[in-house]
Amino acid sequence: MDAGLLGRDAELAELGDRLDAAFHGDGALVVIAGEPGIGKTTLLAAVIARAATSGVPVLAGRAIADEGMPALWPWRRVLDGGAELGLRRELLAVDDGPADEMLFVALERTVQALIGAGPLIITLEDLHWADPATLRLLRLLAGELPGSRLLVVATSRPSPADLPGRRLELGPLSEADVAAWLGDVHPAHPSWPPYLHRQSGGNPLYLRELARVAARDADLTRPAVELPMPDELRRVAGYRFTGLSADCRHLLGGASALGEEFDVTTLAAAAGTTPDLAEALTAGVLVDDPAAPNRLRFSHALVRRARYEDLTRAERIDWHHRIAEALPPGSAAATIARHRVRAAVDEASARSAIDACRAAGQAATHDADSPGAHHWFQRAAELLDTAAYGDDGRAELLLELATAAYRNGQLIESVARCADVLELAERLDRADLAARAAIMVRGTADEQVNRTIVSLCERAGALLGDNDALRARVAAQQTLALTEVYDYATAEPISRQALALAEQTADRVALVDTIHARHNLATGPDGVTERLAVANRLRTIGPVPERPDAPMWGHIWRIDAALQVGAIHEVDSELAALERLADQLGWPVARWHLTRARATRALIAGEYSQAEELTHAARALGFAMEDESILGQSFAFAADLEKRTGRFRDHEPMLLQTIEHIPLPLVWAGYAHYRLAQGDRDAAERMYARVRPTLASMPVDTRWLPTVDDTCRLAAAFGDRDVAAWCRERLLPYAAYYVASVSGYRGSVSHALAIADTALGDLDAADRRFGDAEAMETRIGAPGEAAIVRLAHARMLAQRDEPGDRRRAQELAEQAALTGRRLGMDLVLAGVNELTETRQPLTAREREIAMLVADGLANRAIAERLVLSERTVETHVRNALTKLDLANRTQLTAWALRAGLRN
């Protein structure tokens, strides 16, 4: 939809009603009013399009901003277009005689001609530029419109206000309108709609121009950034300054430096005079609020920018310096920092700006505003060279920046700044700086980042000497990074050394870090008890100010462990605690972990719409962070969701890019299973061929269980008995576990074992194992997964076909279908239909008779209706009961109802 029509449903409806009324003899004048770019012309075009579909003529006129425009020019254009209706420009010719009287005669003559030409639509654009005679004719015509078949639709800026007729004042778009429009034209990060709404003021023209610049100059999938102001918008927004005095424009320059909304007292202090802004208020440049007379605001963000960008460099720097000096005590740290930065031109002013930025960054950190803190420490770092900071001061500031970047999810930037600090630490021989730089970034799966961390730890270790507390922290950090690059053999002894040092020194920060390292060494399915133990150990340690994220990891680890063993109530309790902590921290990484954990919980509960919404939210958060592993995790979760709903989306080529960038058996197996679910057996088999040779050498870590689970299912699908048997043997010790974590939910291990049993021909074992899997899914409240298990169980029973199997298969398929319809699981429904078609035991005549039995007819009545002998009917009923493994007609009726033969 054109942005100009967003939020205009009521206006469109009213104009449609007015159009219909005019067709039936009730004409009217409608004036569409609003500021430039608000959508007047777009709305008018919609009216014209509707009139065209009805075959009604449309005549158009327009006033123009030109001193040479002749009187009545818009009407002359209307008459020029109406020759086929008997209209002509000569109607406006003024005869000889008194000028006013003759003009009235000409105007009245024209009015009557227009009224007689109906049905007709007349459009008049830009009446704010119209001459008095044009408006006089319009007023005369408006008085004749009721009872006519003529609709006049005009557009105007906020003046003239004394026109008759219905006035439609177009206001700005809402933020929801902007989000809806942007979602249609550019899939974007959630921060873009509020930014574009704020910058455009809800003006559709401004919105379109800004969105065009954003699409050209920015990555819309990442958080919003400040955009350059397009020349066209600067011209349109700046028209309001026309005619203002030089003094007023000067004060507006200071106001524009203050911001979109400003305090008049502060402006007066900066200007050194009492500001008179009445001209600006009259011109619509500024807007006041009677409830806050000391505060004014610009009518649009772009109006402010137009004035601000018109300032010379010297004017701009001078205003920001004046404002920084004039701000009263207690002003927001970010406000002071903004003006100090924009006035920083030499060493002294740069040092003042750095101090202000650090204060603003610390205030943002205190308020859990991670993006704000990151921004202000970045601005401070940009001024280091101008301020001529020494190595010690530079290192401290860069560490503050690295911390802020880490908390804001910018991991690559954070580790790069840590490397800069470590280089300074080596130059200064500062072990403390080296250690702080090495242990800054934690909890990422990005391989390159972790390899850099390992290097930083090794370099820091060379400076630490006998400082056991710092050695413990650095060793713990090194262990964490080594486990993320799968170097467990190197990590294990370093981890134990770190734990011993932490216990010996009673350093709580070192203890938290070493506990984190121990957790990473116990990530395989056998380590669930130890993971719970270390998570609880974090809880007993209590708050550690230097590690505010420690409780977050404790919650995540407990959720992971609880999901693996199916303790769903524990999951819900930890989710609530994690949400409170994420709100407290304000870190994107905490919000990301929370969002994907909630998505997993929704997936388990079969709340697929909510799971999809949370998946999109988690992906948006992930895009904003510089951890490339997040992309793969986002697609993995999306694939798990789509395999349940059967509504697959086109993720190529992003998926293939992820597969090549993260060459792991986990990724290959997951992709192969996804392709198999889509029906692309060839692609799935090619990817499965990559997984197969890696199985024996895979480390038994957090990725092992989901990889073997997926591979087991793939081996069964491809008839690979050797791999299916290998997987079954390895998975048997974990039959009571679930393949689940914060990252997603694959179902119970018993389900994979049942699939392996089926593939290996051990159908009795498969029967028992499917029963276990169904019970496990039911216990944790996973209806969707239970339906998938029931369908697979039904298929196995249909394959075994022992006495009673057909009836059980039918019942399981019906249960799966009921859940599939309720939850929208297209693949389950398709599977049930396929099973029913391939295993349909009744002939067409038997089905027909079963339907009549369900209708309550006796055999004799059925025989009469079908013109059969009663004995033949008895035979068909008996055969149906035998084939369906049923005992009597009542059960046959129930079967017909379940099978959908009768309602």
Side-chain angles (χ1 to χ4, degrees):
M1 176 182 286
D2 189 296
L5 291 179
L6 284 170
R8 309 299 187 210
D9 292 346
E11 290 85 354
L12 282 169
E14 179 169 347
L15 287 167
D17 292 342
R18 297 278 181 178
L19 196 58
D20 292 338
F23 293 164
H24 295 89
D26 188 13
L29 166 63
V30 180
V31 180
I32 303 172
E35 65 180 25
I38 201 66
K40 301 184 296 294
T41 301
T42 303
L43 191 58
L44 185 62
V47 176
I48 293 172
R50 178 164 178 175
T53 62
S54 303
V56 178
V58 178
L59 304 181
R62 177 194 298 271
I64 56 176
D66 192 317
E67 291 180 340
M69 181 181 67
L72 295 165
W73 177 253
W75 289 111
R76 295 173 191 271
R77 297 303 304 272
V78 167
L79 296 172
D80 286 346
E84 295 182 0
L85 302 174
L87 302 175
R88 61 191 189 283
R89 183 180 291 202
E90 287 72 23
L91 289 167
L92 291 171
V94 179
D95 297 332
D96 291 338
D100 286 346
E101 183 178 335
M102 291 301 100
L103 176 60
F104 175 80
V105 170
L107 296 182
E108 180 63 22
R109 182 171 59 232
T110 304
V111 166
Q112 295 306 317
L114 291 170
I115 292 294
L120 176 64
I121 306 295
I122 294 176
T123 67
L124 299 169
E125 294 194 68
D126 297 331
L127 287 185
H128 47 277
W129 285 320
D131 61 284
T134 292
L135 297 178
R136 183 178 178 185
L137 174 52
L138 181 59
R139 292 187 183 97
L140 287 172
L141 179 61
E144 300 294 330
L145 290 175
S148 74
R149 302 182 69 193
L150 175 60
L151 177 66
V152 181
V153 185
T155 68
S156 175
R157 291 182 186 170
S159 62
D162 58 342
L163 287 174
R166 173 75 169 105
R167 193 175 184 88
L168 296 181
E169 292 281 357
L170 300 186
L173 305 179
S174 68
E175 186 177 316
D177 292 332
V178 174
W181 176 78
L182 190 63
D184 286 340
V185 296
H186 296 292
H189 187 274
S191 62
W192 278 105
Y195 170 79
L196 291 174
H197 179 260
R198 184 175 66 256
Q199 289 295 307
S200 68
N203 183 296
L205 171 64
Y206 297 178
L207 171 63
R208 285 192 299 267
E209 287 297 310
L210 285 170
R212 180 181 59 80
V213 173
R216 184 193 66 199
D217 298 343
D219 182 354
L220 289 173
T221 64
R222 298 188 68 80
V225 295
E226 186 75 14
L227 296 173
M229 188 175 183
D231 291 339
E232 174 66 14
L233 289 194
R234 184 179 293 105
R235 182 187 65 78
V236 173
Y239 88 94
R240 300 188 187 199
F241 299 106
T242 305
L244 296 181
S245 67
D247 287 344
C248 184
R249 287 176 61 85
H250 172 70
L251 289 171
L252 287 173
S256 70
L258 274 166
E260 293 171 27
E261 184 175 308
F262 59 91
D263 182 90
V264 177
T265 302
T266 303
L267 177 60
T273 184
T274 301
D276 182 1
L277 297 168
E279 288 180 68
L281 288 164
T282 302
V285 174
L286 298 179
V287 179
D288 71 339
D289 180 357
N294 200 45
R295 295 198 67 79
L296 296 175
R297 63 179 173 84
F298 283 88
S299 57
H300 268 294
L302 292 182
V303 173
R304 183 201 70 81
R305 285 186 63 185
R307 180 67 190 101
Y308 183 76
E309 293 182 10
D310 197 38
L311 295 172
T312 66
R313 180 176 184 273
E315 288 173 331
R316 189 170 63 248
I317 293 169
D318 182 58
W319 270 119
H320 284 296
H321 174 74
R322 288 168 173 261
I323 291 167
E325 295 295 325
L327 285 170
S331 297
T335 301
I336 298 171
R338 181 168 70 88
H339 295 294
R340 288 294 184 196
V341 166
R342 297 189 179 195
V345 291
D346 54 27
E347 182 176 332
S349 57
R351 285 178 175 268
S352 295
I354 287 176
D355 291 342
C357 287
R358 294 175 87 163
Q362 290 158 6
T365 301
H366 180 269
D367 293 338
D369 177 12
S370 299
H374 182 209
H375 169 78
W376 288 118
F377 283 115
Q378 272 186 320
R379 298 308 305 270
E382 290 165 3
L383 294 167
L384 279 169
D385 290 338
T386 305
Y389 262 43
D391 285 349
D392 288 283
R394 182 181 293 267
E396 290 293 342
L397 178 53
L398 290 177
L399 269 176
E400 289 178 311
L401 173 57
T403 303
Y406 168 68
R407 292 176 174 178
N408 197 39
Q410 310 303 302
L411 304 184
I412 294 175
E413 180 188 351
S414 181
V415 80
R417 299 291 76 76
C418 288
D420 293 340
V421 173
L422 205 139
E423 185 174 333
L424 291 168
E426 290 172 330
R427 186 186 308 163
L428 297 166
D429 195 23
R430 289 273 305 275
D432 59 325
L433 280 178
R436 288 162 62 193
I439 64 179
M440 174 61 65
V441 179
R442 304 176 306 283
T444 174
D446 187 284
E447 182 177 358
Q448 187 55 49
V449 169
N450 279 295
R451 292 195 182 280
T452 302
I453 292 171
V454 170
S455 173
L456 294 178
C457 290
E458 291 171 347
R459 290 167 61 189
L463 298 177
L464 296 181
D466 58 359
N467 189 323
D468 289 345
L470 290 182
R471 286 172 56 210
R473 295 185 191 182
V474 172
Q477 172 79 334
Q478 188 174 357
T479 304
L480 282 172
L482 286 167
T483 58
E484 292 293 348
V485 295
Y486 320 117
D487 191 352
Y488 297 102
T490 305
E492 178 64 33
I494 299 175
S495 168
R496 296 195 178 282
Q497 175 195 15
L499 184 58
L501 287 170
E503 298 281 10
Q504 173 186 325
T505 60
D507 186 306
R508 297 172 74 224
V509 176
L511 193 56
V512 166
D513 289 350
T514 53
I515 286 172
H516 202 146
R518 290 308 306 169
H519 171 272
N520 275 25
L521 287 167
T523 54
D526 290 320
V528 63
T529 302
E530 184 176 353
R531 294 200 304 276
L532 275 174
V534 295
N536 291 331
R537 181 83 186 277
L538 274 186
R539 176 179 286 170
T540 60
I541 290 174
V544 178
E546 298 90 339
R547 289 290 181 268
D549 59 331
M552 176 186 77
W553 296 114
H555 294 311
I556 292 169
W557 300 344
R558 280 189 290 273
I559 291 171
D560 276 343
L563 284 170
Q564 183 178 328
V565 300
I568 205 70
H569 294 300
E570 181 71 14
V571 171
D572 292 338
S573 174
E574 292 296 331
L575 273 174
L578 180 57
E579 183 164 17
R580 291 191 295 271
L581 181 64
D583 291 339
Q584 176 186 331
L585 289 175
W587 298 4
V589 68
R591 182 60 54 182
W592 177 70
H593 281 299
L594 171 66
T595 304
R596 68 195 186 105
R598 290 178 59 209
T600 297
R601 183 65 183 91
L603 186 68
I604 292 172
E607 297 168 352
Y608 297 141
S609 295
Q610 183 184 8
E612 185 171 18
E613 291 176 8
L614 290 166
T615 300
H616 291 320
R619 184 177 300 174
L621 286 166
F623 276 133
M625 299 191 292
E626 295 179 334
D627 187 340
E628 294 189 1
S629 67
I630 287 174
L631 186 61
Q633 293 180 51
S634 297
F635 281 126
F637 192 92
D640 282 348
L641 179 60
E642 291 172 17
K643 283 187 293 187
R644 284 159 174 84
T645 63
R647 293 184 287 278
F648 296 100
R649 299 190 177 186
D650 184 10
H651 297 297
E652 309 291 354
M654 195 72 76
L655 266 178
L656 290 176
Q657 179 182 342
T658 302
I659 288 167
E660 296 307 319
H661 188 75
I662 311 176
L664 296 173
L666 171 72
V667 176
W668 299 335
Y671 180 76
H673 197 199
Y674 179 65
R675 280 296 186 216
L676 187 63
Q678 286 182 305
D680 191 345
R681 190 179 178 89
D682 291 341
E685 198 158 9
R686 286 195 299 272
M687 198 58 62
Y688 171 69
R690 288 196 192 184
V691 181
R692 201 178 189 277
T694 68
L695 292 173
S697 59
M698 274 195 307
V700 184
D701 58 8
T702 188
R703 301 176 177 88
W704 184 89
L705 188 59
T707 305
V708 176
D709 182 271
D710 269 339
T711 304
C712 181
R713 299 164 191 255
L714 291 166
F718 298 133
D720 189 341
R721 293 176 59 87
D722 290 342
V723 171
W726 185 92
C727 291
R728 180 174 68 171
E729 181 182 352
R730 300 310 186 278
L731 291 175
L732 268 173
Y734 313 114
Y737 288 164
Y738 298 81
V739 186
S741 70
V742 170
S743 300
Y745 182 71
R746 305 288 179 86
S748 66
V749 175
S750 283
H751 186 188
L753 288 169
I755 291 172
D757 287 336
T758 304
L760 295 171
D762 193 350
L763 302 188
D764 291 342
D767 190 9
R768 293 190 297 272
R769 196 70 70 184
F770 273 123
D772 293 342
E774 182 181 348
M776 290 175 68
E777 305 300 348
T778 302
R779 180 173 66 81
I780 67 167
E785 197 65 30
I788 294 171
V789 171
R790 287 172 183 140
L791 175 59
H793 196 179
R795 286 173 171 152
M796 188 281 296
L797 291 172
Q799 175 185 340
R800 189 173 67 173
D801 203 17
E802 292 182 355
D805 281 353
R806 292 186 180 182
R807 176 177 53 80
R808 290 179 61 205
Q810 180 70 25
E811 291 172 351
L812 287 166
E814 289 162 3
Q815 291 172 1
L818 284 172
T819 303
R821 278 190 289 273
R822 178 168 62 84
L823 301 183
M825 303 177 70
D826 293 348
L827 285 185
V828 166
L829 294 175
V832 170
N833 290 336
E834 180 185 358
L835 180 65
T836 301
E837 290 172 4
T838 58
R839 300 297 301 178
Q840 180 52 256
L842 303 187
T843 65
R845 177 65 80 181
E846 289 165 351
R847 288 170 62 84
E848 184 179 23
I849 289 173
M851 287 190 290
L852 296 175
V853 170
D855 288 339
L857 274 64
N859 287 353
R860 177 173 296 180
I862 296 172
E864 291 173 356
R865 176 173 296 190
L866 298 180
V867 194
L868 297 172
S869 69
E870 189 174 349
R871 176 167 294 181
T872 299
V873 172
E874 290 175 356
T875 300
H876 283 308
V877 171
R878 184 170 57 252
N879 289 342
L881 293 173
T882 300
K883 289 179 178 181
L884 296 172
D885 197 20
L886 302 175
N888 51 49
R889 294 168 67 90
T890 301
Q891 291 181 358
L892 182 60
T893 298
W895 175 87
L897 294 172
R898 292 195 305 269
L901 303 183
R902 280 292 183 264
N903 296 323

